[in-house]
PDB file of all heavy atoms in Angstrom:
ATOM      1  N   LYS A  78      98.526 131.715 131.964  1.00 87.00           N
ATOM      2  CA  LYS A  78      99.439 130.810 132.666  1.00 87.00           C
ATOM      3  C   LYS A  78      99.094 130.792 134.144  1.00 87.00           C
ATOM      4  O   LYS A  78      98.655 131.795 134.705  1.00 87.00           O
ATOM      5  CB  LYS A  78     100.878 131.274 132.455  1.00 87.00           C
ATOM      6  CG  LYS A  78     101.344 130.974 131.056  1.00 87.00           C
ATOM      7  CD  LYS A  78     102.808 131.198 130.896  1.00 87.00           C
ATOM      8  CE  LYS A  78     103.230 130.767 129.508  1.00 87.00           C
ATOM      9  NZ  LYS A  78     104.613 131.086 129.241  1.00 87.00           N
ATOM     10  N   ARG A  79      99.298 129.640 134.756  1.00 86.00           N
ATOM     11  CA  ARG A  79      98.934 129.480 136.153  1.00 86.00           C
ATOM     12  C   ARG A  79      99.945 128.561 136.826  1.00 86.00           C
ATOM     13  O   ARG A  79     100.468 127.651 136.200  1.00 86.00           O
ATOM     14  CB  ARG A  79      97.548 128.829 136.177  1.00 86.00           C
ATOM     15  CG  ARG A  79      96.770 129.055 137.432  1.00 86.00           C
ATOM     16  CD  ARG A  79      95.392 128.474 137.298  1.00 86.00           C
ATOM     17  NE  ARG A  79      95.444 127.027 137.270  1.00 86.00           N
ATOM     18  CZ  ARG A  79      94.536 126.272 136.679  1.00 86.00           C
ATOM     19  NH1 ARG A  79      93.534 126.822 136.027  1.00 86.00           N
ATOM     20  NH2 ARG A  79      94.633 124.957 136.717  1.00 86.00           N
ATOM     21  N   TRP A  80     100.207 128.832 138.126  1.00 89.00           N
ATOM     22  CA  TRP A  80     101.118 127.944 138.856  1.00 89.00           C
ATOM     23  C   TRP A  80     100.305 126.899 139.589  1.00 89.00           C
ATOM     24  O   TRP A  80      99.264 127.202 140.142  1.00 89.00           O
ATOM     25  CB  TRP A  80     101.977 128.744 139.845  1.00 89.00           C
ATOM     26  CG  TRP A  80     103.009 129.588 139.132  1.00 89.00           C
ATOM     27  CD1 TRP A  80     102.867 130.887 138.788  1.00 89.00           C
ATOM     28  CD2 TRP A  80     104.276 129.165 138.674  1.00 89.00           C
ATOM     29  NE1 TRP A  80     103.964 131.334 138.128  1.00 89.00           N
ATOM     30  CE2 TRP A  80     104.871 130.284 138.043  1.00 89.00           C
ATOM     31  CE3 TRP A  80     104.987 127.972 138.707  1.00 89.00           C
ATOM     32  CZ2 TRP A  80     106.126 130.231 137.448  1.00 89.00           C
ATOM     33  CZ3 TRP A  80     106.243 127.929 138.134  1.00 89.00           C
ATOM     34  CH2 TRP A  80     106.804 129.046 137.505  1.00 89.00           C
ATOM     35  N   GLU A  81     100.808 125.676 139.589  1.00 90.00           N
ATOM     36  CA  GLU A  81     100.108 124.583 140.251  1.00 90.00           C
ATOM     37  C   GLU A  81     101.085 123.773 141.070  1.00 90.00           C
ATOM     38  O   GLU A  81     102.249 123.654 140.692  1.00 90.00           O
ATOM     39  CB  GLU A  81      99.506 123.667 139.161  1.00 90.00           C
ATOM     40  CG  GLU A  81      98.000 123.596 139.233  1.00 90.00           C
ATOM     41  CD  GLU A  81      97.411 122.800 138.086  1.00 90.00           C
ATOM     42  OE1 GLU A  81      98.042 121.805 137.673  1.00 90.00           O
ATOM     43  OE2 GLU A  81      96.342 123.185 137.606  1.00 90.00           O
ATOM     44  N   LEU A  82     100.604 123.184 142.171  1.00 92.00           N
ATOM     45  CA  LEU A  82     101.493 122.343 142.969  1.00 92.00           C
ATOM     46  C   LEU A  82     101.633 120.974 142.319  1.00 92.00           C
ATOM     47  O   LEU A  82     100.673 120.438 141.782  1.00 92.00           O
ATOM     48  CB  LEU A  82     100.914 122.125 144.375  1.00 92.00           C
ATOM     49  CG  LEU A  82     100.716 123.343 145.265  1.00 92.00           C
ATOM     50  CD1 LEU A  82     100.294 122.883 146.663  1.00 92.00           C
ATOM     51  CD2 LEU A  82     101.993 124.153 145.378  1.00 92.00           C
ATOM     52  N   THR A  83     102.840 120.429 142.356  1.00 93.00           N
ATOM     53  CA  THR A  83     103.005 119.054 141.894  1.00 93.00           C
ATOM     54  C   THR A  83     102.561 118.146 143.037  1.00 93.00           C
ATOM     55  O   THR A  83     102.278 118.623 144.144  1.00 93.00           O
ATOM     56  CB  THR A  83     104.481 118.767 141.561  1.00 93.00           C
ATOM     57  OG1 THR A  83     105.225 118.923 142.783  1.00 93.00           O
ATOM     58  CG2 THR A  83     105.024 119.729 140.513  1.00 93.00           C
ATOM     59  N   ALA A 154     109.713 127.729 155.479  1.00 90.00           N
ATOM     60  CA  ALA A 154     109.399 128.704 154.419  1.00 90.00           C
ATOM     61  C   ALA A 154     108.873 128.032 153.148  1.00 90.00           C
ATOM     62  O   ALA A 154     107.947 128.536 152.501  1.00 90.00           O
ATOM     63  CB  ALA A 154     110.633 129.527 154.087  1.00 90.00           C
ATOM     64  N   VAL A 155     109.459 126.870 152.833  1.00 91.00           N
ATOM     65  CA  VAL A 155     109.033 126.175 151.604  1.00 91.00           C
ATOM     66  C   VAL A 155     107.552 125.817 151.692  1.00 91.00           C
ATOM     67  O   VAL A 155     106.779 126.064 150.771  1.00 91.00           O
ATOM     68  CB  VAL A 155     109.903 124.916 151.376  1.00 91.00           C
ATOM     69  CG1 VAL A 155     109.369 124.071 150.236  1.00 91.00           C
ATOM     70  CG2 VAL A 155     111.339 125.324 151.120  1.00 91.00           C
ATOM     71  N   LYS A 158     105.376 128.920 151.392  1.00 91.00           N
ATOM     72  CA  LYS A 158     105.285 129.452 150.027  1.00 91.00           C
ATOM     73  C   LYS A 158     104.327 128.611 149.180  1.00 91.00           C
ATOM     74  O   LYS A 158     103.504 129.131 148.420  1.00 91.00           O
ATOM     75  CB  LYS A 158     106.663 129.471 149.358  1.00 91.00           C
ATOM     76  CG  LYS A 158     107.555 130.593 149.851  1.00 91.00           C
ATOM     77  CD  LYS A 158     108.914 130.493 149.201  1.00 91.00           C
ATOM     78  CE  LYS A 158     109.927 131.387 149.909  1.00 91.00           C
ATOM     79  NZ  LYS A 158     111.285 131.124 149.446  1.00 91.00           N
ATOM     80  N   LEU A 159     104.468 127.291 149.353  1.00 92.00           N
ATOM     81  CA  LEU A 159     103.592 126.403 148.590  1.00 92.00           C
ATOM     82  C   LEU A 159     102.137 126.594 149.000  1.00 92.00           C
ATOM     83  O   LEU A 159     101.229 126.540 148.179  1.00 92.00           O
ATOM     84  CB  LEU A 159     104.006 124.940 148.774  1.00 92.00           C
ATOM     85  CG  LEU A 159     105.362 124.547 148.129  1.00 92.00           C
ATOM     86  CD1 LEU A 159     105.726 123.113 148.490  1.00 92.00           C
ATOM     87  CD2 LEU A 159     105.341 124.720 146.618  1.00 92.00           C
ATOM     88  N   LEU A 161     100.808 129.330 149.933  1.00 91.00           N
ATOM     89  CA  LEU A 161     100.312 130.550 149.274  1.00 91.00           C
ATOM     90  C   LEU A 161      99.830 130.228 147.853  1.00 91.00           C
ATOM     91  O   LEU A 161      98.784 130.691 147.414  1.00 91.00           O
ATOM     92  CB  LEU A 161     101.421 131.611 149.217  1.00 91.00           C
ATOM     93  CG  LEU A 161     101.740 132.337 150.525  1.00 91.00           C
ATOM     94  CD1 LEU A 161     102.929 133.272 150.334  1.00 91.00           C
ATOM     95  CD2 LEU A 161     100.513 133.136 151.001  1.00 91.00           C
ATOM     96  N   VAL A 162     100.644 129.414 147.155  1.00 90.00           N
ATOM     97  CA  VAL A 162     100.271 129.046 145.781  1.00 90.00           C
ATOM     98  C   VAL A 162      98.955 128.271 145.797  1.00 90.00           C
ATOM     99  O   VAL A 162      98.062 128.520 145.004  1.00 90.00           O
ATOM    100  CB  VAL A 162     101.388 128.211 145.103  1.00 90.00           C
ATOM    101  CG1 VAL A 162     100.935 127.725 143.725  1.00 90.00           C
ATOM    102  CG2 VAL A 162     102.667 129.027 144.990  1.00 90.00           C
ATOM    103  N   GLN A 163      98.852 127.349 146.767  1.00 89.00           N
ATOM    104  CA  GLN A 163      97.637 126.536 146.835  1.00 89.00           C
ATOM    105  C   GLN A 163      96.408 127.406 147.105  1.00 89.00           C
ATOM    106  O   GLN A 163      95.324 127.138 146.608  1.00 89.00           O
ATOM    107  CB  GLN A 163      97.794 125.481 147.933  1.00 89.00           C
ATOM    108  CG  GLN A 163      96.804 124.332 147.756  1.00 89.00           C
ATOM    109  CD  GLN A 163      96.986 123.285 148.840  1.00 89.00           C
ATOM    110  OE1 GLN A 163      97.098 123.610 150.041  1.00 89.00           O
ATOM    111  NE2 GLN A 163      97.036 122.031 148.437  1.00 89.00           N
ATOM    112  N   GLY A 165      96.009 130.286 145.979  1.00 86.00           N
ATOM    113  CA  GLY A 165      95.817 131.231 144.866  1.00 86.00           C
ATOM    114  C   GLY A 165      96.442 132.578 145.135  1.00 86.00           C
ATOM    115  O   GLY A 165      96.120 133.561 144.493  1.00 86.00           O
ATOM    116  N   LYS A 166      97.355 132.623 146.116  1.00 89.00           N
ATOM    117  CA  LYS A 166      97.992 133.905 146.429  1.00 89.00           C
ATOM    118  C   LYS A 166      99.433 133.919 145.928  1.00 89.00           C
ATOM    119  O   LYS A 166     100.322 134.477 146.581  1.00 89.00           O
ATOM    120  CB  LYS A 166      97.967 134.138 147.949  1.00 89.00           C
ATOM    121  CG  LYS A 166      96.571 134.228 148.531  1.00 89.00           C
ATOM    122  CD  LYS A 166      96.675 134.393 150.030  1.00 89.00           C
ATOM    123  CE  LYS A 166      95.311 134.219 150.697  1.00 89.00           C
ATOM    124  NZ  LYS A 166      95.461 133.840 152.119  1.00 89.00           N
ATOM    125  N   ASP A 167      99.667 133.269 144.801  1.00 84.00           N
ATOM    126  CA  ASP A 167     101.049 133.151 144.350  1.00 84.00           C
ATOM    127  C   ASP A 167     101.659 134.489 143.951  1.00 84.00           C
ATOM    128  O   ASP A 167     102.862 134.620 143.796  1.00 84.00           O
ATOM    129  CB  ASP A 167     101.169 132.116 143.213  1.00 84.00           C
ATOM    130  CG  ASP A 167     100.441 132.524 141.971  1.00 84.00           C
ATOM    131  OD1 ASP A 167     100.952 133.379 141.213  1.00 84.00           O
ATOM    132  OD2 ASP A 167      99.346 131.965 141.743  1.00 84.00           O
ATOM    133  N   SER A 168     100.816 135.523 143.796  1.00 85.00           N
ATOM    134  CA  SER A 168     101.360 136.846 143.465  1.00 85.00           C
ATOM    135  C   SER A 168     102.224 137.396 144.602  1.00 85.00           C
ATOM    136  O   SER A 168     103.002 138.322 144.413  1.00 85.00           O
ATOM    137  CB  SER A 168     100.212 137.810 143.156  1.00 85.00           C
ATOM    138  OG  SER A 168      99.318 137.819 144.235  1.00 85.00           O
ATOM    139  N   LYS A 169     102.079 136.800 145.766  1.00 90.00           N
ATOM    140  CA  LYS A 169     102.898 137.257 146.888  1.00 90.00           C
ATOM    141  C   LYS A 169     104.333 136.757 146.794  1.00 90.00           C
ATOM    142  O   LYS A 169     105.184 137.175 147.557  1.00 90.00           O
ATOM    143  CB  LYS A 169     102.278 136.790 148.224  1.00 90.00           C
ATOM    144  CG  LYS A 169     100.969 137.482 148.506  1.00 90.00           C
ATOM    145  CD  LYS A 169     100.545 137.341 149.938  1.00 90.00           C
ATOM    146  CE  LYS A 169      99.310 138.194 150.184  1.00 90.00           C
ATOM    147  NZ  LYS A 169      98.633 137.782 151.411  1.00 90.00           N
ATOM    148  N   LEU A 170     104.547 135.808 145.859  1.00 87.00           N
ATOM    149  CA  LEU A 170     105.909 135.285 145.664  1.00 87.00           C
ATOM    150  C   LEU A 170     106.512 135.961 144.440  1.00 87.00           C
ATOM    151  O   LEU A 170     105.801 136.256 143.477  1.00 87.00           O
ATOM    152  CB  LEU A 170     105.872 133.770 145.416  1.00 87.00           C
ATOM    153  CG  LEU A 170     105.232 132.895 146.499  1.00 87.00           C
ATOM    154  CD1 LEU A 170     105.228 131.442 146.047  1.00 87.00           C
ATOM    155  CD2 LEU A 170     105.988 133.035 147.825  1.00 87.00           C
ATOM    156  N   ASP A 171     107.848 136.173 144.490  1.00 90.00           N
ATOM    157  CA  ASP A 171     108.450 136.738 143.284  1.00 90.00           C
ATOM    158  C   ASP A 171     108.868 135.601 142.336  1.00 90.00           C
ATOM    159  O   ASP A 171     108.850 134.422 142.705  1.00 90.00           O
ATOM    160  CB  ASP A 171     109.603 137.688 143.621  1.00 90.00           C
ATOM    161  CG  ASP A 171     110.715 137.006 144.394  1.00 90.00           C
ATOM    162  OD1 ASP A 171     110.872 135.772 144.197  1.00 90.00           O
ATOM    163  OD2 ASP A 171     111.412 137.681 145.179  1.00 90.00           O
ATOM    164  N   ASP A 172     109.235 136.007 141.115  1.00 88.00           N
ATOM    165  CA  ASP A 172     109.559 135.011 140.088  1.00 88.00           C
ATOM    166  C   ASP A 172     110.702 134.098 140.506  1.00 88.00           C
ATOM    167  O   ASP A 172     110.704 132.901 140.211  1.00 88.00           O
ATOM    168  CB  ASP A 172     109.926 135.707 138.762  1.00 88.00           C
ATOM    169  CG  ASP A 172     108.683 136.241 138.068  1.00 88.00           C
ATOM    170  OD1 ASP A 172     107.565 135.892 138.539  1.00 88.00           O
ATOM    171  OD2 ASP A 172     108.826 136.997 137.085  1.00 88.00           O
ATOM    172  N   LYS A 173     111.678 134.697 141.208  1.00 92.00           N
ATOM    173  CA  LYS A 173     112.842 133.907 141.608  1.00 92.00           C
ATOM    174  C   LYS A 173     112.409 132.764 142.536  1.00 92.00           C
ATOM    175  O   LYS A 173     112.824 131.620 142.375  1.00 92.00           O
ATOM    176  CB  LYS A 173     113.844 134.827 142.322  1.00 92.00           C
ATOM    177  CG  LYS A 173     115.234 134.258 142.335  1.00 92.00           C
ATOM    178  CD  LYS A 173     116.237 135.246 142.920  1.00 92.00           C
ATOM    179  CE  LYS A 173     117.370 134.469 143.573  1.00 92.00           C
ATOM    180  NZ  LYS A 173     117.729 134.995 144.877  1.00 92.00           N
ATOM    181  N   GLU A 174     111.522 133.122 143.488  1.00 90.00           N
ATOM    182  CA  GLU A 174     111.047 132.109 144.444  1.00 90.00           C
ATOM    183  C   GLU A 174     110.268 131.000 143.731  1.00 90.00           C
ATOM    184  O   GLU A 174     110.440 129.816 144.000  1.00 90.00           O
ATOM    185  CB  GLU A 174     110.144 132.766 145.491  1.00 90.00           C
ATOM    186  CG  GLU A 174     110.918 133.631 146.474  1.00 90.00           C
ATOM    187  CD  GLU A 174     110.003 134.434 147.402  1.00 90.00           C
ATOM    188  OE1 GLU A 174     109.099 135.129 146.868  1.00 90.00           O
ATOM    189  OE2 GLU A 174     110.188 134.344 148.616  1.00 90.00           O
ATOM    190  N   LYS A 175     109.427 131.445 142.800  1.00 89.00           N
ATOM    191  CA  LYS A 175     108.604 130.452 142.084  1.00 89.00           C
ATOM    192  C   LYS A 175     109.471 129.533 141.235  1.00 89.00           C
ATOM    193  O   LYS A 175     109.271 128.320 141.202  1.00 89.00           O
ATOM    194  CB  LYS A 175     107.566 131.166 141.207  1.00 89.00           C
ATOM    195  CG  LYS A 175     106.387 131.673 142.033  1.00 89.00           C
ATOM    196  CD  LYS A 175     105.299 132.237 141.173  1.00 89.00           C
ATOM    197  CE  LYS A 175     105.368 133.735 141.155  1.00 89.00           C
ATOM    198  NZ  LYS A 175     104.174 134.401 140.654  1.00 89.00           N
ATOM    199  N   ASN A 176     110.481 130.123 140.568  1.00 90.00           N
ATOM    200  CA  ASN A 176     111.349 129.297 139.718  1.00 90.00           C
ATOM    201  C   ASN A 176     112.185 128.327 140.526  1.00 90.00           C
ATOM    202  O   ASN A 176     112.474 127.217 140.071  1.00 90.00           O
ATOM    203  CB  ASN A 176     112.226 130.185 138.840  1.00 90.00           C
ATOM    204  CG  ASN A 176     111.430 130.733 137.663  1.00 90.00           C
ATOM    205  OD1 ASN A 176     110.571 130.022 137.121  1.00 90.00           O
ATOM    206  ND2 ASN A 176     111.680 131.976 137.305  1.00 90.00           N
ATOM    207  N   GLU A 177     112.544 128.751 141.753  1.00 89.00           N
ATOM    208  CA  GLU A 177     113.293 127.845 142.620  1.00 89.00           C
ATOM    209  C   GLU A 177     112.442 126.626 142.986  1.00 89.00           C
ATOM    210  O   GLU A 177     112.907 125.492 142.926  1.00 89.00           O
ATOM    211  CB  GLU A 177     113.674 128.589 143.903  1.00 89.00           C
ATOM    212  CG  GLU A 177     115.166 128.564 144.166  1.00 89.00           C
ATOM    213  CD  GLU A 177     115.543 129.655 145.148  1.00 89.00           C
ATOM    214  OE1 GLU A 177     115.010 129.635 146.284  1.00 89.00           O
ATOM    215  OE2 GLU A 177     116.330 130.548 144.767  1.00 89.00           O
ATOM    216  N   LEU A 178     111.180 126.893 143.326  1.00 90.00           N
ATOM    217  CA  LEU A 178     110.269 125.797 143.680  1.00 90.00           C
ATOM    218  C   LEU A 178     109.984 124.902 142.466  1.00 90.00           C
ATOM    219  O   LEU A 178     109.791 123.701 142.600  1.00 90.00           O
ATOM    220  CB  LEU A 178     108.955 126.354 144.255  1.00 90.00           C
ATOM    221  CG  LEU A 178     109.105 127.055 145.614  1.00 90.00           C
ATOM    222  CD1 LEU A 178     107.836 127.815 145.974  1.00 90.00           C
ATOM    223  CD2 LEU A 178     109.442 126.042 146.714  1.00 90.00           C
ATOM    224  N   LYS A 179     110.014 125.557 141.285  1.00 92.00           N
ATOM    225  CA  LYS A 179     109.794 124.797 140.046  1.00 92.00           C
ATOM    226  C   LYS A 179     110.983 123.851 139.829  1.00 92.00           C
ATOM    227  O   LYS A 179     110.817 122.698 139.441  1.00 92.00           O
ATOM    228  CB  LYS A 179     109.675 125.777 138.877  1.00 92.00           C
ATOM    229  CG  LYS A 179     109.290 125.110 137.550  1.00 92.00           C
ATOM    230  CD  LYS A 179     109.203 126.147 136.457  1.00 92.00           C
ATOM    231  CE  LYS A 179     109.030 125.491 135.106  1.00 92.00           C
ATOM    232  NZ  LYS A 179     109.091 126.465 134.027  1.00 92.00           N
ATOM    233  N   LYS A 180     112.187 124.375 140.092  1.00 91.00           N
ATOM    234  CA  LYS A 180     113.399 123.568 139.940  1.00 91.00           C
ATOM    235  C   LYS A 180     113.374 122.361 140.870  1.00 91.00           C
ATOM    236  O   LYS A 180     113.835 121.276 140.501  1.00 91.00           O
ATOM    237  CB  LYS A 180     114.616 124.451 140.274  1.00 91.00           C
ATOM    238  CG  LYS A 180     115.625 124.508 139.144  1.00 91.00           C
ATOM    239  CD  LYS A 180     116.912 125.047 139.719  1.00 91.00           C
ATOM    240  CE  LYS A 180     117.644 125.967 138.779  1.00 91.00           C
ATOM    241  NZ  LYS A 180     118.521 126.875 139.512  1.00 91.00           N
ATOM    242  N   ARG A 181     112.805 122.563 142.059  1.00 89.00           N
ATOM    243  CA  ARG A 181     112.718 121.452 143.027  1.00 89.00           C
ATOM    244  C   ARG A 181     111.542 120.526 142.704  1.00 89.00           C
ATOM    245  O   ARG A 181     111.217 119.628 143.466  1.00 89.00           O
ATOM    246  CB  ARG A 181     112.550 122.019 144.465  1.00 89.00           C
ATOM    247  CG  ARG A 181     113.855 122.499 145.048  1.00 89.00           C
ATOM    248  CD  ARG A 181     113.698 122.925 146.494  1.00 89.00           C
ATOM    249  NE  ARG A 181     113.492 121.796 147.410  1.00 89.00           N
ATOM    250  CZ  ARG A 181     113.424 121.932 148.746  1.00 89.00           C
ATOM    251  NH1 ARG A 181     113.529 123.112 149.301  1.00 89.00           N
ATOM    252  NH2 ARG A 181     113.229 120.861 149.496  1.00 89.00           N
ATOM    253  N   LYS A 182     110.884 120.806 141.603  1.00 92.00           N
ATOM    254  CA  LYS A 182     109.737 120.008 141.104  1.00 92.00           C
ATOM    255  C   LYS A 182     108.564 120.000 142.082  1.00 92.00           C
ATOM    256  O   LYS A 182     107.839 119.023 142.225  1.00 92.00           O
ATOM    257  CB  LYS A 182     110.160 118.569 140.794  1.00 92.00           C
ATOM    258  CG  LYS A 182     111.178 118.464 139.663  1.00 92.00           C
ATOM    259  CD  LYS A 182     111.125 117.078 139.039  1.00 92.00           C
ATOM    260  CE  LYS A 182     111.933 116.972 137.778  1.00 92.00           C
ATOM    261  NZ  LYS A 182     113.401 117.062 137.985  1.00 92.00           N
ATOM    262  N   LEU A 183     108.403 121.153 142.792  1.00 93.00           N
ATOM    263  CA  LEU A 183     107.282 121.266 143.723  1.00 93.00           C
ATOM    264  C   LEU A 183     106.160 122.094 143.112  1.00 93.00           C
ATOM    265  O   LEU A 183     105.005 121.982 143.490  1.00 93.00           O
ATOM    266  CB  LEU A 183     107.756 121.918 145.027  1.00 93.00           C
ATOM    267  CG  LEU A 183     108.944 121.208 145.700  1.00 93.00           C
ATOM    268  CD1 LEU A 183     109.420 121.973 146.927  1.00 93.00           C
ATOM    269  CD2 LEU A 183     108.575 119.771 146.070  1.00 93.00           C
ATOM    270  N   LEU A 184     106.554 122.904 142.118  1.00 91.00           N
ATOM    271  CA  LEU A 184     105.581 123.737 141.412  1.00 91.00           C
ATOM    272  C   LEU A 184     105.689 123.469 139.915  1.00 91.00           C
ATOM    273  O   LEU A 184     106.773 123.146 139.427  1.00 91.00           O
ATOM    274  CB  LEU A 184     105.913 125.221 141.603  1.00 91.00           C
ATOM    275  CG  LEU A 184     105.418 125.968 142.827  1.00 91.00           C
ATOM    276  CD1 LEU A 184     105.668 127.468 142.618  1.00 91.00           C
ATOM    277  CD2 LEU A 184     103.929 125.726 143.053  1.00 91.00           C
ATOM    278  N   SER A 185     104.605 123.616 139.196  1.00 92.00           N
ATOM    279  CA  SER A 185     104.707 123.579 137.719  1.00 92.00           C
ATOM    280  C   SER A 185     103.833 124.685 137.145  1.00 92.00           C
ATOM    281  O   SER A 185     102.830 125.076 137.745  1.00 92.00           O
ATOM    282  CB  SER A 185     104.302 122.214 137.184  1.00 92.00           C
ATOM    283  OG  SER A 185     102.944 121.982 137.444  1.00 92.00           O
ATOM    284  N   GLU A 186     104.272 125.157 135.993  1.00 89.00           N
ATOM    285  CA  GLU A 186     103.542 126.255 135.357  1.00 89.00           C
ATOM    286  C   GLU A 186     102.647 125.661 134.275  1.00 89.00           C
ATOM    287  O   GLU A 186     103.136 124.944 133.399  1.00 89.00           O
ATOM    288  CB  GLU A 186     104.553 127.225 134.747  1.00 89.00           C
ATOM    289  CG  GLU A 186     103.962 128.580 134.476  1.00 89.00           C
ATOM    290  CD  GLU A 186     105.031 129.555 133.975  1.00 89.00           C
ATOM    291  OE1 GLU A 186     106.104 129.095 133.541  1.00 89.00           O
ATOM    292  OE2 GLU A 186     104.762 130.764 134.018  1.00 89.00           O
ATOM    293  N   VAL A 187     101.372 125.898 134.341  1.00 89.00           N
ATOM    294  CA  VAL A 187     100.477 125.344 133.309  1.00 89.00           C
ATOM    295  C   VAL A 187      99.866 126.468 132.484  1.00 89.00           C
ATOM    296  O   VAL A 187      99.541 127.536 133.009  1.00 89.00           O
ATOM    297  CB  VAL A 187      99.345 124.466 133.906  1.00 89.00           C
ATOM    298  CG1 VAL A 187      99.838 123.096 134.272  1.00 89.00           C
ATOM    299  CG2 VAL A 187      98.704 125.151 135.091  1.00 89.00           C
TER     300      VAL A 187
END
Side-chain angles (χ1 to χ4, degrees):
K78 286 190 175 174
R79 203 175 69 207
W80 289 95
E81 242 175 36
L82 298 187
T83 62
V155 172
K158 284 177 193 170
L159 291 175
L161 285 175
V162 175
Q163 199 179 46
K166 298 177 191 157
D167 65 78
S168 55
K169 292 196 174 163
L170 302 177
D171 60 29
D172 285 350
K173 200 174 151 225
E174 288 172 308
K175 282 186 259 196
N176 282 324
E177 236 162 59
L178 293 168
K179 186 180 172 186
K180 236 196 218 156
R181 281 185 72 175
K182 296 203 170 69
L183 305 176
L184 275 191
S185 65
E186 199 175 17
V187 281

